[in-house]
Amino acid sequence: MYAAHTNDHGHDEHSHKPSGIMRWVQSTNHKDIGTMYLWFSFAMFLVGGAMAMIIRAELFQPGLQIVKPEFFNSMTTYHGLIMVFGAIMPAFVGFANWLIPMQIGAPDMAFPRMNNLSFWLLPPAALLLIAAQFAPGGGAGVGWTLYAPLSTQAGPAMDLTIFAIHILGMSSIMGSINIITTILNMRAPGMTLMKMPLFCWTWLITAYLLVAVMPVLAGAVTMTLTDRHFGTHFFNAAGGGDPVLYQHIFWFFGHPEVYVIAIPAFGVVSQVIPAFSRKPLFGYASMVYATASIAILSFMVWAHHMYTAGMPVEAQLYFMYATVLIAVPTGVKVFNWVATMWKGSLTFETPMLFALGFLFLFTLGGFTGLVLSIVPVDIQLHDTYYVVAHFHYVMVAGALFSAFAGIYFWLPKWTGRMYNETLGKWHFWLSLVFFNVTFFVQHFLGLAGMPRRIPDYSLQFAEFNMISSIGAFGFGLSQLLFLYIVIKTITSGEKAADRQWEGADSLEWTHLPSPAPWHSFETPPVVK
Amino acid sequence: MNGKPKASLLQVLRMVLSAFLGIRKRGEHEKIEVTPLQVIIVGLIAGAAFVATIVSVVHLITR
C-alpha cells in the first residue's frame, strides 16, 4: 500500500531541539504538545480520581462519617467536570496531536502556535476548577450538569467554574480547528480521505462535533453568569424565564459531548483490534459512514436525559424512538470489531486486552443506555445509581480503557521503549476486576432505588455500597501501577522495534523509527 | 478527481441511508464520484426526513 521505506531522519541528532522548561512553554511541536496533553490529562485523572475516592469513602457506610454534605456535593460536581473536561477529552486530544500528523504523513499540525495556546489554556482552567474548592462557601455543589436554579444560586465558586468552562471550550474549539485543517489540507500525496487510518476519521468527525457543541455550552454557562450577576432571567421562572430551558441547552451540548468522548475511543480501538488480529479492519468504509451518521444523529436525541423534567408525551415518544434508532449504527460498529477478529490470528498483548475490555464493557454500557432510553423505565431509574453505573461503563470502560489500549499500543512509538508486558497485563486484569466490582453492583443499587448525588443512604443499600467502595479503592490503586509502568518504560524499558506490532500498518509504524523523531515527514511520504 | 461517473441523486441518497444504518458495501464509494457537498446536503435532508418520520409516527399513535 505504501511506498518504500523512506527513512530520511539521519540528521536527527543535530536537530535543533530547545532544551529546558522553554521547550515546553513555547512548544509548537505536535509531539511535545501531545505529550503535555497526555501528562496533563493523567494529572487531572489523579485529581478527579482522588475526588472519587472521597465520594466512595463517604459512601462506604450509611450515615455521615468523613465529609460534610456540602463538600460531598462539591466532590461529585468537580469529579465529573474534571474527569470529562480535564482527563478524558485532553487525553484524546493528546493522541490526536501525536498521531494525526504521523498517520497522514504531515510534518506537524496546521497551526502550531494555536496548538500551543490550546494546550496552555488547560492548566489555568484546571487551576480555576481546583481553586473553586477554596472559594467562600466551598465548591459549587450543583452537579457536573450545572443545572439552574442551583447554579444561579450557588456561591462564588460557580463563577470560577463558569470561567473554567469558557476557557476549556476555547481550547477545544481551537484544537478542533487545528485538527480539521490538518486533516483536510496536510495529507501526504496519495493519502486520500478513504485511505486514512480510522483514528484520523474519528477525530475529523469529533472535531466538527466539538466546533458545533462547545459554543452551545459556552452560551448556557454565559446565560447562567448573566442570570447570576447582570439581572437577566433566562432560567428564572419568577422573571419570565424557564429553568428547563437550561436543561435543553445543556443537553443539546451534553449528548453530542458523549460522542465527542466515545468517537475518538472508537478510533483508537479501530487501530488496536486489527493490529492484534493481523487483519484489516472489517468494513472500513461502513465504519466511516456509521461514525458520521452517529455524529449527525447525536444532535437529535438530547431530551432523553430529561424525561422527568416535564415534557409532552409526544416529545417523550419522539426522543425514545430516536434514541433507540441511534443505537443501530453503534451496534454495527461493535459487529465490525467482532468481524475483524473473526478468523484472525489473535494475540492478547496489553493493548488488545484493553481493547477487548472496551468491546465487552462498552457494549454493556450501551445496552443499559438503551434500557434508560425507554421512557417508563427511565421514569423509575432517573437520577438513581443505575444511571451512574450506565455512564461509568461508557466513560471508564469505554473511553478510559480505550485510552489505556492506545497508550500501551503507541508507547513504544512515542518513547522508543517497550513497557513491561507482565505488569501491563496485571494493570489490565486489576482494572477490569475492580471496575466491575465498583460499578456492576451500582446497577442493583439503582434498581433498588438509591438516588445519585447523596452522601447518606438507607440501610438496605449498605452491602452493595461497601462492595462498590472496595472496588473503587482497588481501581484507584491499580492506576498507580499504570503510572509506575509508564515511568519505568520511559526510564528503563527495553528498546522497541520500529514496527513493534507486526500487524500495525499505519505510517507511524511503517515509515518512522521508534522513538518517532522530533521532526517527522518534513518530506512527505508518497502513499500508493 | 478522475474519470469516475458522477453520482446521481438516487445513488447519493442510497449511500446516506446505508450510512444511517451503518452498513456500506466495500468499494461502492470508489466506483462513483461523490462530492462532500452532495453528501452533506443529502445527509441534512435525510436527517430532517428521519426526524419528520418519527414525529409523524408519534403523531399517528397519540392521536
Side-chain angles (χ1 to χ4, degrees), chain A residues 193-194 280-287 289-290 293-294 296-297 300 313-315 317-319 321-322 325-326 328-329 332 336, chain B residues 15-16 18-27 29-30 36 39 43-44 46-48 50-52 54-55 57-59 61-62:
Chain A
L193 284 173
M194 290 309 274
L281 184 69
F282 182 89
Y284 169 89
S286 53
M287 289 293 249
Y289 288 92
S293 63
I294 289 171
I296 294 171
L297 297 176
M300 301 170 186
V313 71
E314 289 85 355
L317 284 173
Y318 163 77
F319 284 108
Y321 295 159
L325 288 171
I326 198 180
V328 175
V332 167
N336 277 344
Chain B
M15 189 165 145
V16 169
S18 54
F20 274 12
L21 203 60
I23 296 169
R24 182 99 186 110
K25 269 200 209 122
R26 182 201 296 268
H29 62 95
E30 285 161 359
V39 177
L44 288 178
F50 173 77
V51 172
I54 303 179
V55 168
V57 168
V58 168
H59 186 70
I61 58 173
T62 51

Side-chain angles (χ1 to χ4, degrees), chain A residues 444-521:
Chain A
F444 305 139
L445 285 171
L447 289 166
M450 178 172 161
R452 63 193 281 208
R453 293 169 173 155
I454 52 162
D456 187 11
Y457 48 83
S458 309
L459 292 178
Q460 72 266 30
F461 304 129
E463 281 83 3
F464 282 140
N465 269 296
M466 192 176 278
I467 294 170
S468 180
S469 289
I470 291 170
F473 300 143
F475 188 83
L477 288 175
S478 310
Q479 306 323 311
L480 299 179
L481 174 62
F482 172 67
L483 178 63
Y484 172 77
I485 294 170
V486 171
I487 290 174
K488 192 163 175 285
T489 306
I490 294 169
T491 54
S492 61
E494 280 176 32
K495 177 96 184 72
D498 288 354
R499 193 172 179 177
Q500 182 66 34
W501 317 109
E502 84 251 20
D505 62 355
S506 42
L507 291 182
E508 80 274 24
W509 296 107
T510 54
H511 280 54
L512 294 175
S514 295
W518 205 53
H519 290 297
S520 47
F521 294 135

Side-chain angles (χ1 to χ4, degrees), chain A residues 13-28:
Chain A
E13 47 283 356
H14 51 89
S15 66
H16 308 286
K17 195 191 285 187
S19 56
I21 183 89
M22 294 319 271
R23 167 179 172 191
W24 304 98
V25 174
Q26 300 181 325
S27 180
T28 52

Side-chain angles (χ1 to χ4, degrees), chain A residues 316-353:
Chain A
Q316 289 182 329
L317 284 173
Y318 163 77
F319 284 108
M320 175 167 83
Y321 295 159
T323 306
V324 171
L325 288 171
I326 198 180
V328 175
T330 314
V332 167
K333 292 170 91 73
V334 172
F335 281 121
N336 277 344
W337 289 316
V338 173
T340 303
M341 290 188 286
W342 178 253
K343 292 190 173 176
S345 36
L346 300 170
T347 53
F348 299 95
E349 287 90 342
T350 309
M352 183 62 163
L353 288 176

Side-chain angles (χ1 to χ4, degrees), chain A residues 100-315:
Chain A
I100 288 174
M102 296 200 294
Q103 290 189 332
I104 63 173
D108 205 308
M109 298 294 278
F111 306 112
R113 288 182 182 147
M114 190 163 79
N115 206 11
N116 174 292
L117 185 57
S118 299
F119 172 77
W120 281 109
L121 282 174
L122 294 180
L127 286 178
L128 281 172
L129 287 179
I130 294 167
Q133 309 307 315
F134 304 100
V142 297
W144 86 279
T145 51
L146 314 173
Y147 273 7
L150 278 178
S151 58
T152 49
Q153 294 164 2
M158 194 62 214
D159 301 316
L160 302 184
T161 308
I162 289 171
F163 193 36
I165 288 174
H166 280 138
I167 299 175
L168 290 164
M170 283 187 247
S171 164
S172 289
I173 290 170
M174 285 193 287
S176 301
I177 292 170
N178 222 335
I179 287 167
I180 293 171
T181 315
T182 307
I183 293 178
L184 293 185
N185 289 332
M186 295 181 67
R187 279 169 288 125
M191 176 62 80
T192 60
L193 284 173
M194 290 309 274
K195 275 188 190 160
M196 289 196 307
L198 204 77
F199 177 77
C200 298
W201 259 113
T202 56
W203 248 115
L204 179 63
I205 292 163
T206 304
Y208 275 108
L209 271 183
L210 273 170
V211 170
V213 298
M214 289 316 288
V216 178
L217 177 66
V221 294
T222 306
M223 285 191 266
T224 306
L225 188 74
T226 58
D227 269 16
R228 286 166 60 81
H229 297 296
F230 305 113
T232 58
H233 297 283
F234 292 114
F235 308 131
N236 178 9
D242 184 357
V244 178
L245 171 67
Y246 177 86
Q247 298 188 23
H248 279 291
I249 300 172
F250 179 84
W251 286 113
F252 190 79
F253 146 82
H255 196 76
E257 169 71 12
V258 174
Y259 293 93
V260 164
I261 290 169
I263 289 177
F266 295 166
V268 169
V269 167
S270 301
Q271 300 300 119
V272 172
I273 289 182
F276 294 94
S277 306
R278 288 151 186 88
K279 272 176 69 191
L281 184 69
F282 182 89
Y284 169 89
S286 53
M287 289 293 249
V288 172
Y289 288 92
T291 310
S293 63
I294 289 171
I296 294 171
L297 297 176
S298 73
F299 285 100
M300 301 170 186
V301 295
W302 75 91
H304 65 208
H305 295 272
M306 36 188 293
Y307 286 143
T308 59
M311 68 174 85
V313 71
E314 289 85 355

Side-chain angles (χ1 to χ4, degrees), chain A residues 38-48 82:
Chain A
L38 288 164
W39 277 112
F40 172 83
S41 81
F42 190 76
M44 286 296 104
F45 175 61
L46 293 184
V47 173
I82 287 176

